[in-house]
Amino acid sequence: MIEALTSLAAFDKVAGTSFAETAPAQKAAFSPAAVSGIAGPAATAPTDFGDVMAQVAASARDAIRTGEATAISGIQGKATAQQVVEAVMSAEQSLQTVVAIRDKVVAAYLELSRMPI
């Protein structure tokens, strides 16, 4: 698990972000009020597809980090079993979402590559 944390830190360097900087922004952008448009003009949702995908990736990265950190805390006896299960299930759901998005992108690319010129 430590190697995974290191590789996630490498993602931070590439993306030019840090875990502490992105977490509040992700919660605000993907809150139910912001998604449904109820929050009003103060809430700004990303309009660029690349920004949306970057936020989804950052949100998944944060969920996976939280799951790993909670699992380590559980091993050390600092977190309850319920907290560990909830964090790991959230991380698993995020990972499944990312994999599904990747599969759709690959399928779209393959479909485009089969088109006659």
Side-chain angles (χ1 to χ4, degrees):
M1 284 195 300
I2 300 301
E3 292 171 5
L5 292 174
T6 303
S7 66
L8 289 173
F11 179 77
D12 281 342
K13 292 176 187 174
V14 172
T17 60
S18 72
F19 176 66
E21 294 171 355
T22 59
Q26 307 320 319
K27 290 177 184 173
F30 290 104
S31 67
V35 171
S36 65
I38 299 173
T44 58
T47 56
D48 186 19
F49 181 72
D51 291 342
V52 171
M53 288 294 104
Q55 286 188 351
V56 168
S59 177
R61 180 195 64 216
D62 294 344
I64 291 170
R65 274 193 177 159
T66 302
E68 289 181 341
T70 306
I72 291 170
S73 295
I75 291 170
Q76 295 171 343
K78 297 178 184 176
T80 64
Q82 180 180 356
Q83 291 171 333
V84 172
V85 168
E86 288 174 354
V88 169
M89 294 289 285
S90 175
E92 181 182 5
Q93 183 179 12
S94 295
L95 183 62
Q96 288 175 351
T97 301
V98 170
V99 168
I101 291 171
R102 183 211 55 197
D103 291 346
K104 289 291 186 180
V105 168
V106 169
Y109 173 77
L110 291 174
E111 187 68 28
L112 286 173
S113 68
R114 283 189 229 125
M115 287 183 163
I117 296 178

